[in-house]
Every structure is written in structure tokens, then in C-alpha cells.
Amino acid sequence: MQLYNTLSAEERAELIDQAGKQRLTLSFYAYAKIEDPKKFRDDLFIEWNKLDALGRTYVAKEGINAQMSVPAENIEAFRETLEVYEFMRGIRLNVAVEHDDHSFLKLTVKVRDKIVADGLNDETFDVTNIGVHLKAAEFNHILEDPNTIVVDFRNHYESEIGHFKGAITPDVETFRESLPIINEQLKNHKEDKNLVMYCTGGIRCEKASAYFKHHGFKNVFQLEGGIINYAKQIKEENLESKFIGKNFVFDHRLGERITDDIVSQCHQCGKPCDNHTNCLNDGCHLLFIQCDECQAAMENCCSTECLETTHLPLAEQVKLRRGKQVGNKVFRKGKSENLKFKHSGELSDLALGKAQTIAIRQRIKVKKVLLGKVEHYYVKAQVGLFIIENQELNVGDTILISGPTTGNEQFILEKMLVNGTENSTAKTGDKVTFEVPFRIRLSDKLFKILD
């Protein structure tokens, strides 16, 4: 009985591409009393694995919090796995505004103490005494009331790329930090103002609204389903979007566009930009905003120091990281002094630019076959070394090199060395070298484009 993910992200991505089926990215949560979270977790994993459902889910004695990628054809079967449990019957699935078949590449279901790290002692107040849920039209209406204070209960790196107009955007890195800050900041408005709150999918506001009602706030409201559901409703009902920019999401996409307004800047050059990336240096892994030009010039790094580090031999990079908390152990959220144009705290509602958007579903899928992977990249010579693991590679083939940092780059192969000798054909097991007109990485895959 399989209870854990057994495929690498690269292997899963290839299986998704081969299947060629549309996947839906969605999220949901529910607060409920779960007596045996471990059994609950195992039962979910078994059923979801059968449906090729992927994603990141936390379960605890207080409930479930999930972000998922599910084949569109299996969505009803997926819902049935939830409605086996009474507390999830009729549960709202927040379907993403934009879809990416690679939004999640593993199925992870973990048992945690809490489904959201809020730092609160739930025994000290009634967590079920929540605020009034508002749909998009109601939310827009209450924002027009001069007695309304709207608060963003997300973190600084989320609100920087998109937020509701006029919202208070706390300069925090975690949800738990924002609660006492807002409580102190608004302590003189507990009875005379509408406290209206929002977050990505609604889960943070469930606990936050109960917390503020416990602390004496009389008029507490929350956006039902968060920004994700709001975006869906304003589109269906042809409403004005009071939200501007992008909604940060915690999957491979790192953001989905709500309006074409760009309200943030590239942290390196100041150009209007709202695309997040992670520093390529595994000893840094800083989350920051980087435009295409800086990404090319800095090779996906946040600083010249990190850029130089990525050019060192792998053994030397590992040596530099020894004894430090790096990579996925510390996911730094963009507070480096190297970022000259970082903004947080009080944010502007003015657009700095407009985005040219193409819906992900409308992108043309390229038919391709996996040939092998990158073994080495010789920076000065701009030559890549590959091992052919599947089918043949021929001079004249159109090839695609793909990876999370490199993106998708294709060109026609004009010349190559096979096992050290110039040849026009390479077969399974051969070592191949050829010039690559762009930077590639060890995580990249080599594909051949099919007609």
C-alpha cells in the first residue's frame, strides 16, 4: 500500500506531459474535529493517489488545508473522496484563475499541529465565533463605506505584487506576526469601524476574525473564499475589481494575474515587474521579484556574490553551505539588503505598468519526446554535455531544453560530438556535447520536438 510520493518532480512532469490532459489547480480548507489525523491522512493519500491528484496538504486535529492539482476529468471523483466525510460535504473548492499543469509535481499530505501556523492558543477563545462572510459584490459595497477599514492578512511578499485598494498591508513575514500588530493599530476603532479582512483563499481570516471578535471588535467581516473566489465572482458577475495586480500563490506558478496592473518593481533594476523567482544559489534560495532582463543578466541570482557561487564546482558550493541553514530549510522571503527596490508595509494603489497576458490554457502544447538530461555545462565555452537515455538524436533535429529556471528554449541542432567524435547521430547511452546559446542547469531536460 503506497502512502508516500515515490516519483521525482522531473519524472512526474514528464508523465503529465505525456498524458496531455488538462489539470485544475484548486484549494480548500475546513475546520473540524479530527480524532485520528494520521489515519485521516493515510486514507486521503490512498484515494487521491488513485486519481493522480497532486499537491500539498496539511491535516491536524483542527481540520484540513489543501492546495491541489487534479486532472479535470477526475474532479468529480476527487470531490467524492472529500464528501465521504460529513464536515466536507458541499465544501467549496477554490479553483485557480489560471491553470498550469505543473503547478504541483508531488502528492504530499502531512500531519501538523495546526493547519495554519497562527501562534494562537485556541483554548483561550471561541474559534467558531467568526466574522460575517462577504461575497464579491458585498465586499465591493462595504469597501465604499467610509467607516470601513480593510486589512490584508497575507505577508509582505504577497501583498507587494497585488492587494485591494486602500488596504492596510502589514510588513510581516508570517501570519502570526500580523494579528497583534493590527490589534494594537486598530484598538481605538473596535466599535465605530467595520473591520474587513481578506487573504488568499479565506483560511487565515477564519481564525483571524474569531480572534478579533474575542478582542472586542464589534463589526468583523471577511472575504468569502479569499482573493481566489473573489476573482472568479467578479468575472462571472462582470463586477469591478477592487483588487489590483497579482495574487501570490504557493505553488510552482508563484502568482496568478487578477488585473493587468503591475504595482511592484523588479527588486534589482526598478522596472515595473511582478514575477517572483528564487535565487539559483542553493545556499541562498531568496524569494524576490526579477524582470526578464535581470534574470538573463544575473542568471536567476539575487546578487553578484550568488552568481559567482553558482559558477563554482558543485563540491565547492556544498563546502560553502556546510554548517549553514540553507535551501528548503530556510525559505527566505525577500528581506535582503541586496534588493534595492523592495517595498513592503504601506503600499501604493497606483499601477506602474500594464502586463501583456496570455491565458495558460491558450498556450500551444508542443509535442516532444524526452531524450536525456544535462550532465554538465561548460560556461566559458557555452557547451552542454548530455547523456542520451531514450531514442535517437540527429543533426537537424529541433531540440528543446527545459527546466524550472531555464524555462523552455528550443533551437535546431547543427553540429554535435558523440562520445568525443563529430557525428550526425547519437543513440541511447551516448555522451553528446554541442554548443548551447544560453545558460543551462543540471536539472534541465533535453527533448526532441516532434512534427
Side-chain angles (χ1 to χ4, degrees):
M1 185 186 302
Q2 184 178 336
L3 292 175
Y4 297 92
N5 186 81
T6 58
L7 296 178
S8 69
E10 291 79 8
E11 290 170 326
R12 180 68 71 177
E14 180 57 25
L15 288 176
I16 290 173
D17 288 341
Q18 290 176 356
K21 297 179 180 179
Q22 183 193 18
R23 302 182 68 90
L24 300 178
T25 301
L26 55 92
S27 61
F28 61 93
Y29 68 89
Y31 280 100
K33 188 176 181 180
I34 299 175
E35 295 293 342
D36 189 347
K38 176 62 168 61
K39 184 180 184 303
F40 179 59
R41 175 257 173 229
D42 291 349
D43 291 344
L44 288 178
F45 190 98
I46 291 168
E47 295 304 315
W48 291 352
N49 195 46
K50 294 176 185 177
L51 299 175
D52 193 25
L54 306 173
R56 183 191 307 113
T57 298
Y58 299 133
V59 299
K61 288 188 175 181
E62 68 172 0
I64 181 171
N65 180 17
Q67 295 85 42
M68 305 291 296
S69 169
V70 181
E73 64 184 17
N74 292 343
I75 193 67
E76 290 307 317
F78 179 78
R79 181 180 285 278
E80 289 175 7
T81 69
L82 305 180
E83 296 192 342
V84 167
Y85 305 93
E86 185 174 354
F87 73 89
M88 287 196 287
R89 288 176 187 166
I91 192 169
R92 180 185 62 250
L93 301 181
N94 279 338
V95 180
V97 177
E98 298 177 335
H99 295 287
D100 183 343
D101 292 344
H102 293 177
S103 59
F104 289 101
L105 296 174
K106 290 185 179 182
L107 175 57
T108 304
V109 186
K110 294 184 178 181
V111 176
R112 291 284 179 87
D113 291 333
K114 287 195 168 190
I115 55 176
V116 175
D118 52 39
L120 298 175
N121 181 355
D122 295 351
E123 301 300 322
T124 61
F125 66 101
D126 183 0
V127 296
T128 66
N129 185 24
I130 60 176
V132 178
H133 285 81
L134 299 175
K135 297 186 183 301
E138 297 168 323
F139 194 82
N140 278 3
H141 180 71
I142 203 169
L143 292 187
E144 299 295 332
D145 187 334
N147 289 317
T148 290
I149 298 175
V150 59
V151 181
D152 189 327
F153 276 99
R154 301 173 304 151
N155 306 323
H156 68 83
Y157 55 92
E158 300 174 80
S159 57
E160 183 179 9
I161 62 170
H163 49 269
F164 279 96
K165 296 176 182 178
I168 296 173
T169 51
D171 187 10
V172 297
E173 292 198 16
T174 62
F175 170 52
R176 71 178 68 186
E177 294 176 67
S178 63
L179 296 172
I181 290 174
I182 294 301
N183 190 35
E184 175 64 23
Q185 188 173 342
L186 302 182
K187 64 183 180 181
N188 295 325
H189 298 291
K190 293 184 177 183
E191 297 191 10
D192 66 334
K193 297 292 184 181
N194 299 318
L195 175 56
V196 180
M197 55 187 68
Y198 69 91
C199 56
T200 306
I203 187 169
R204 283 176 269 192
C205 293
E206 289 288 298
K207 190 67 69 72
S209 65
Y211 170 87
F212 284 102
K213 290 187 73 174
H214 172 72
H215 280 272
F217 286 83
K218 302 300 182 184
N219 306 306
V220 181
F221 304 86
Q222 61 195 90
L223 179 58
E224 184 179 84
I227 301 165
I228 297 173
N229 196 43
Y230 177 87
K232 178 184 177 183
Q233 290 182 0
I234 61 171
K235 185 175 181 180
E236 291 175 346
E237 300 173 27
N238 196 29
L239 302 173
E240 175 190 359
S241 177
K242 301 288 187 178
F243 185 95
I244 53 173
K246 256 185 177 180
N247 178 31
F248 186 95
V249 292
F250 294 87
D251 59 54
H252 175 72
R253 298 170 298 156
L254 293 178
E256 55 184 14
R257 187 159 296 288
I258 308 301
T259 71
D260 61 3
D261 301 292
I262 298 176
V263 297
S264 52
Q265 296 173 279
C266 170
H267 287 164
Q268 292 175 318
C269 73
K271 174 183 176 181
C273 177
D274 52 14
N275 295 323
H276 274 103
T277 189
N278 284 110
C279 181
L280 185 65
N281 176 16
D282 284 334
C284 176
H285 202 56
L286 181 74
L287 179 72
F288 68 109
I289 298 173
Q290 188 178 50
C291 68
D292 292 342
E293 290 79 4
C294 287
Q295 185 178 54
M298 296 296 293
E299 298 179 17
N300 235 116
C301 293
C302 70
S303 65
T304 53
E305 180 183 0
C306 284
L307 177 60
E308 291 168 358
T309 299
T310 62
H311 288 181
L312 295 174
L314 182 58
E316 186 68 22
Q317 293 185 45
V318 172
K319 184 178 179 181
L320 289 173
R321 298 200 299 268
R322 195 165 294 151
K324 299 179 180 178
Q325 286 188 306
V326 295
N328 60 6
K329 295 179 183 177
V330 177
F331 188 63
R332 297 175 58 207
K333 307 296 197 304
K335 286 292 190 178
S336 170
E337 293 181 359
N338 292 322
L339 305 178
K340 299 178 181 178
F341 296 92
K342 167 69 188 171
H343 298 291
S344 58
E346 191 172 331
L347 301 174
S348 172
D349 293 338
L350 298 177
L352 303 176
K354 295 289 183 179
Q356 301 295 320
T357 59
I358 301 176
I360 292 176
R361 289 186 192 177
Q362 296 175 350
R363 294 175 186 170
I364 299 173
K365 283 192 173 292
V366 177
K367 292 183 178 180
K368 60 185 186 294
V369 62
L370 178 66
L371 297 179
K373 59 185 180 182
V374 177
E375 287 295 311
H376 192 71
Y377 178 63
Y378 302 93
V379 178
K380 292 184 178 180
Q382 290 189 302
V383 169
L385 169 63
F386 306 82
I387 293 182
I388 304 301
E389 300 174 346
N390 180 47
Q391 297 203 10
E392 287 187 356
L393 174 64
N394 297 286
V395 169
D397 285 342
T398 299
I399 60 175
L400 170 72
I401 298 177
S402 179
T405 300
T406 303
N408 295 305
E409 300 282 356
Q410 68 180 62
F411 60 95
I412 297 174
L413 182 62
E414 298 180 349
K415 179 182 178 181
M416 66 177 170
L417 296 181
V418 180
N419 299 322
T421 305
E422 186 172 346
N423 206 323
S424 60
T425 300
K427 299 181 179 180
T428 302
D430 287 341
K431 290 186 176 181
V432 176
T433 54
F434 52 81
E435 290 187 10
V436 182
F438 47 84
R439 166 88 177 179
I440 59 177
R441 285 88 183 168
L442 294 182
S443 59
D444 292 351
K445 301 294 184 182
L446 174 67
F447 297 88
K448 177 165 64 176
I449 302 298
L450 304 177
D451 295 332

